[in-house]
Amino acid sequence: MALRATLKNKSILSGLLSRLSSCSSHGRVCVSPVLVAQRRNNSTSPKLKVDFNQSTGVAVMHMQNPPVNSLSLGFLTEFCIAMEKLEMDKSCRGLILTSSQPKVFSAGLDIMDMYGKKLEQYEEFWRAVQEMWLKLYSSNMVTIAAINGSSPAGGCLMSLSCDYRIMADNPRYSIGFNETQFGIVVPVWCKEAMTTIVGHRNTELTLELGLLYNPSDALKIGLVDQLVPEDQVLATATKTMTKWLAIPDHARRITKSMMRKPTIDKIMSIREADMQQYISFISKDSTQKMLGTYLEMLKKKRG
Amino acid sequence: MALRATLKNKSILSGLLSRLSSCSSHGRVCVSPVLVAQRRNNSTSPKLKVDFNQSTGVAVMHMQNPPVNSLSLGFLTEFCIAMEKLEMDKSCRGLILTSSQPKVFSAGLDIMDMYGKKLEQYEEFWRAVQEMWLKLYSSNMVTIAAINGSSPAGGCLMSLSCDYRIMADNPRYSIGFNETQFGIVVPVWCKEAMTTIVGHRNTELTLELGLLYNPSDALKIGLVDQLVPEDQVLATATKTMTKWLAIPDHARRITKSMMRKPTIDKIMSIREADMQQYISFISKDSTQKMLGTYLEMLKKKRG
Amino acid sequence: MALRATLKNKSILSGLLSRLSSCSSHGRVCVSPVLVAQRRNNSTSPKLKVDFNQSTGVAVMHMQNPPVNSLSLGFLTEFCIAMEKLEMDKSCRGLILTSSQPKVFSAGLDIMDMYGKKLEQYEEFWRAVQEMWLKLYSSNMVTIAAINGSSPAGGCLMSLSCDYRIMADNPRYSIGFNETQFGIVVPVWCKEAMTTIVGHRNTELTLELGLLYNPSDALKIGLVDQLVPEDQVLATATKTMTKWLAIPDHARRITKSMMRKPTIDKIMSIREADMQQYISFISKDSTQKMLGTYLEMLKKKRG
């Protein structure tokens, strides 16, 4: 969700970097928010583990793209294929989305797919981001986010696209959209989806100020639906799923479509414009220079 | 409000039926929600009692369609005629809607008007349902729902269409839309109206999960405006009406229209599509078979 | 914000007048709400004092149009010119709007510009009202309302147009839209803007019943964001501004536009219709007669 970044503000960047650094040295939650520059292992190991229980009709999708489940092109492609498979399987009625990585649900878009690439590659990446949102937001399945770690930016968007959100009650975790803090603007579909969950005013404050909420504040504004102790997130999601699946699928699906179709239609009608906006922003010299500087700084810090 | 029913889920149906049965045997609140199959008395006795107080300009409309004020074609027709009369009477400025039946405000649409009828009859019934909503939602009068009993499904829609909702603070009563629990989807105007009252997220959860709220939970999400002891519902409605009538009619009416016209316009533009959708659903063999089975089960339970 | 006044209700008018009278005799907060008939001094002294701090990039705009900062044509013109200047000044990033008058932020539109004038003058006045709202609502600057006194009607609209609202925690002050109490309907842009802040239901209740809220109730429904002791309103606004200005301008502005553009576009498309509606209402014999009676009564009371 890194649209139209500016990132001119070096003091903020260094603030971020030092925070990252101090984080790791104190063994605290360490999530690089908004833009994740993940060390590549180029492994072909799957970035998702999907456990489908035939008897309950529920699939649990574990995100396992170390270290912070960054939303890279590879991850997003795998995610979309997995979603399509589950969606086509009539016996699969519910999906729980969770993380295999400690302390983080997902830290958002992967900067490596936004830097030094060709136009076609930028387009391919953004198409995958749009597709991920669309697939999750319009799923026929009951979708529950079992948020067992921090979930900033793109991670928050994934959570918001589900039908229900259960978060670990750990004050070190946070969820929200901190894009503007780094000179970045979220895409408009992010705003549309968030408004339907927490209302216009909370969305305005969150997106303009780039706010991340701890779990209890997130609960207060309705950004998540329920907090439970960290070790009970998945179990609670499973229990909650049972309640949702007690509703006849046909009626629930038509109702879900009735609630979400206006937003989906609106977004589909501006999909190409959104793409052009992204490509034009990301391919700008100034944007690339800024991202380069950012990566350089990250590298030095990691030294 | 029984659109596109599926009701394939027999276990839910029997759950409902046993609940109905256990209800009556323990003398508890007994409301058959969503679909009401009312024993016909074919009497021509009025289903509404309207008390109009010339000195205050307030009419109180008592619904008296035993046992549970089901919204039958007869009831709806009478309701629409009464509304028209009051609306035309310049001296009538306020309307309080309440129930003469114990423990129930209204239990929703009457299944008998949805089963074994001709196409024209289905059309006539649904026209009456649409008309009831439209008349109440767009009334020039101040409309207050004095909810002195349970108010599921169609009863909740009636309440939501009023300007203000006062409910009896009795934890045995409930209000909400439980349609999906029975494989049924509410019409889109129901969703539109509810969204303006409790917001998009509460509407989504309520309609998808088929939720009924006890009075205190209904108050929390804003589904009702005020709770009072059961024996003070009507008196409080009368007192509240005085406050509303202190506002000059002309300004209040224009303001109400400014608030509601966008929703009314949207609904009017899809009125015929909504009708076709209903007829196509209700006249399906599978729907009729399902309703027949449902009625058969009800009959057996009643023995 | 005096659109389509009716003011037929003499008992309400005299209620208002006696309240005004009792107010002044007890030294309490004395704000003539909705319509302000201000004694003219015809002075050319500026009605705004703008302090711009180059080092922080923040301008503080003090409204000083005694006694109650009524929104007269003169005031509005000066306000729009000042806004334009600040908006053009790239070094000005934030605006704090506050009052130099004791006990009142702004009491709303000036009745003297609505009475006994020519059509062109009514048009000129309403154009200025529209322009004020548009300039404030679509400002590129961070706008914070430091509400250090009562803020009914037009004063509330000014506050709502800002990005953030800090109010003096003095129970004698109030904020809201009491127009309907005097037979007046707010313009539709007022409803649109308010809905985005407090939601549809709160807007409906406020506008139909003409509600003014004390600070703590205003906070509860989200009409203001924060309450502080009266003498700390401006200092808190300054501190809050620092937090907002920590966000890179470019990203914050695009995000603000993303949030507000749909509302602005909607309003712009009906701007001329809104103008015609106002002129047609205000130039009616009945409206003018009513305003004349109102002014006559005010004069006698002051006598």
Side-chain angles (χ1 to χ4, degrees), chain A residues 163 225 246 248 250 256 260, chain B residues 6 12 180 200-201 204 208:
Chain A
D163 292 317
D225 296 298
H250 183 66
K256 181 172 178 177
R260 300 198 167 189
Chain B
T6 55
I12 286 181
T180 50
H200 191 279
R201 178 58 180 161
E204 187 173 57
E208 291 187 19

Side-chain angles (χ1 to χ4, degrees), chain B residues 6-294:
Chain B
T6 55
L7 280 173
K8 329 176 189 180
N9 201 323
K10 288 195 181 183
S11 65
I12 286 181
L13 271 181
S14 59
L16 166 69
L17 293 169
S18 59
R19 232 189 317 151
L20 282 174
S21 157
S22 75
C23 269
S24 55
S25 63
H26 290 82
R28 306 179 100 242
V29 180
C30 180
V31 176
S32 146
V34 186
L35 294 177
V36 184
Q38 196 162 308
R39 265 169 267 184
R40 293 289 149 126
N41 50 17
N42 283 323
S43 86
T44 53
S45 63
K47 294 167 180 62
L48 287 172
K49 186 162 77 74
V50 181
D51 295 330
F52 178 42
N53 184 329
Q54 280 279 0
S55 72
T56 59
V58 177
V60 180
M61 196 186 272
H62 302 268
M63 299 186 276
Q64 48 182 26
N65 194 20
V68 291
N69 288 330
S70 75
L71 307 178
S72 62
L73 177 59
F75 176 88
L76 292 168
T77 307
E78 211 176 294
F79 178 84
C80 287
I81 292 172
M83 280 299 288
E84 230 161 276
K85 266 191 205 162
L86 294 173
E87 210 74 59
M88 307 254 290
D89 184 343
K90 297 287 176 203
S91 66
C92 183
R93 301 172 59 212
L95 170 68
I96 295 171
L97 186 64
T98 195
S99 164
S100 290
Q101 302 314 116
K103 299 173 187 164
V104 63
F105 182 73
S106 164
L109 302 188
D110 192 334
I111 197 177
M112 297 311 289
D113 284 306
M114 304 162 76
Y115 180 68
K117 297 278 188 295
K118 292 180 193 154
L119 287 190
E120 309 90 77
Q121 291 172 304
Y122 294 140
E123 181 172 345
E124 191 185 4
F125 177 63
W126 198 247
R127 185 85 55 208
V129 175
Q130 290 179 329
E131 199 63 28
M132 172 273 284
W133 176 77
L134 206 60
K135 284 224 163 11
L136 201 51
Y137 194 74
S138 65
S139 172
N140 268 324
M141 298 179 281
V142 174
T143 51
I144 296 181
I147 311 167
N148 51 351
S150 280
S151 192
C156 184
L157 178 63
M158 286 190 108
S159 307
L160 280 182
S161 307
C162 293
D163 292 317
Y164 198 79
R165 285 155 287 283
I166 296 160
M167 188 168 186
D169 194 5
N170 183 336
R172 287 180 178 175
Y173 297 160
S174 63
I175 184 168
F177 292 99
N178 55 343
E179 275 80 346
T180 50
Q181 283 194 30
F182 306 97
I184 299 172
V185 177
V186 302
V188 69
W189 21 288
C190 196
K191 166 228 158 186
E192 295 287 344
M194 189 179 192
T195 300
T196 64
I197 306 285
V198 299
H200 191 279
R201 178 58 180 161
N202 284 318
T203 302
E204 187 173 57
L205 282 177
T206 304
L207 298 187
E208 291 187 19
L209 289 170
L211 299 179
L212 294 178
Y213 298 88
N214 62 38
S216 78
D217 286 341
L219 183 68
K220 257 178 229 153
I221 67 162
L223 193 54
V224 298
D225 296 299
Q226 199 178 343
L227 300 184
V228 297
E230 193 154 357
D231 59 356
Q232 290 164 36
V233 171
L234 197 55
T236 308
T238 307
K239 229 180 291 175
T240 304
M241 183 59 84
T242 310
K243 282 199 285 180
W244 280 76
L245 293 183
I247 304 297
D249 276 347
H250 182 68
R252 187 194 50 72
R253 285 175 186 177
I254 296 176
T255 307
K256 181 173 177 176
S257 159
M258 181 168 77
M259 295 305 301
R260 299 198 167 190
K261 198 168 175 303
T263 301
I264 293 169
D265 287 351
K266 202 193 265 186
I267 297 314
M268 288 304 284
S269 76
I270 55 159
R271 191 174 180 169
E272 284 316 307
D274 177 58
M275 171 63 80
Q276 290 317 315
Q277 233 170 348
Y278 175 73
I279 294 179
S280 138
F281 154 71
I282 204 67
S283 58
K284 253 186 214 154
D285 280 352
S286 57
T287 309
Q288 286 296 310
K289 201 175 150 189
M290 168 197 75
L291 291 176
T293 312
Y294 181 55

Side-chain angles (χ1 to χ4, degrees), chain C residues 134-153:
Chain C
L134 206 60
K135 284 223 159 17
L136 201 51
Y137 193 74
S138 65
S139 173
N140 267 323
M141 297 179 281
V142 173
T143 52
I144 295 181
I147 311 167
N148 52 350
S150 280
S151 191

Side-chain angles (χ1 to χ4, degrees), chain C:
Chain C
M1 205 167 350
L3 195 55
R4 313 183 202 98
T6 55
L7 279 173
K8 327 177 190 183
N9 200 322
K10 287 197 183 184
S11 65
I12 286 181
L13 270 182
S14 59
L16 165 69
L17 294 169
S18 59
R19 233 189 315 151
L20 282 175
S21 157
S22 75
C23 269
S24 56
S25 62
H26 290 82
R28 305 178 101 240
V29 181
C30 181
V31 176
S32 145
V34 186
L35 294 177
V36 184
Q38 195 162 308
R39 268 168 265 185
R40 294 287 149 126
N41 52 16
N42 285 322
S43 87
T44 53
S45 64
K47 293 166 179 64
L48 287 172
K49 185 162 78 74
V50 181
D51 294 331
F52 178 43
N53 184 329
Q54 282 278 1
S55 72
T56 60
V58 178
V60 181
M61 195 186 272
H62 302 267
M63 299 186 276
Q64 49 183 25
N65 194 20
V68 292
N69 287 331
S70 74
L71 307 178
S72 62
L73 177 59
F75 175 89
L76 291 168
T77 307
E78 211 176 294
F79 177 85
C80 288
I81 292 171
M83 280 298 288
E84 230 159 278
K85 266 191 208 163
L86 295 174
E87 209 73 59
M88 308 253 292
D89 184 343
K90 298 287 177 204
S91 66
C92 183
R93 302 172 59 212
L95 168 68
I96 294 172
L97 185 64
T98 194
S99 165
S100 291
Q101 302 313 117
K103 298 172 187 165
V104 63
F105 182 73
S106 165
L109 302 189
D110 193 333
I111 197 176
M112 297 311 289
D113 284 305
M114 304 163 76
Y115 181 67
K117 295 280 188 294
K118 292 179 193 156
L119 287 190
E120 311 88 78
Q121 291 174 304
Y122 294 139
E123 182 173 345
E124 191 184 4
F125 178 62
W126 199 247
R127 186 84 54 207
V129 176
Q130 291 178 328
E131 199 62 27
M132 172 273 284
W133 176 77
L134 206 60
K135 284 223 159 17
L136 201 51
Y137 193 74
S138 65
S139 173
N140 267 323
M141 297 179 281
V142 173
T143 52
I144 295 181
I147 311 167
N148 52 350
S150 280
S151 191
C156 184
L157 179 63
M158 286 190 107
S159 307
L160 280 183
S161 308
C162 293
D163 292 318
Y164 199 79
R165 286 155 286 284
I166 296 160
M167 189 169 186
D169 194 5
N170 182 336
R172 288 179 176 175
Y173 297 159
S174 63
I175 185 167
F177 292 98
N178 54 345
E179 275 80 347
T180 49
Q181 283 195 29
F182 306 97
I184 298 171
V185 176
V186 301
V188 69
W189 19 289
C190 196
K191 166 228 159 187
E192 296 288 345
M194 189 178 192
T195 300
T196 64
I197 306 285
V198 298
H200 192 279
R201 178 59 180 161
N202 283 319
T203 302
E204 185 172 59
L205 281 176
T206 304
L207 298 187
E208 291 186 20
L209 289 170
L211 298 179
L212 293 178
Y213 298 87
N214 62 38
S216 79
D217 285 341
L219 183 68
K220 257 177 231 154
I221 67 162
L223 193 54
V224 299
D225 296 299
Q226 198 178 344
L227 301 184
V228 296
E230 192 153 357
D231 59 355
Q232 290 165 36
V233 171
L234 197 55
T236 308
T238 306
K239 228 179 294 174
T240 304
M241 183 60 84
T242 311
K243 281 199 286 180
W244 281 76
L245 294 183
I247 304 298
D249 276 348
H250 182 67
R252 188 194 49 73
R253 284 175 185 178
I254 295 177
T255 306
K256 181 173 178 175
S257 160
M258 181 169 75
M259 296 305 301
R260 300 198 167 191
K261 199 170 175 300
T263 301
I264 293 169
D265 287 350
K266 201 193 267 187
I267 297 313
M268 288 304 283
S269 76
I270 55 160
R271 190 175 181 167
E272 284 317 306
D274 177 60
M275 172 62 80
Q276 290 317 314
Q277 232 171 349
Y278 175 74
I279 294 179
S280 139
F281 156 70
I282 203 68
S283 58
K284 254 187 213 153
D285 281 352
S286 57
T287 308
Q288 286 296 310
K289 203 175 149 190
M290 169 197 73
L291 291 176
T293 312
Y294 181 55
L295 282 167
E296 209 54 50
M297 288 162 105
L298 276 180
K299 221 183 278 180
K300 273 182 202 158
K301 283 277 166 185
R302 279 169 178 173

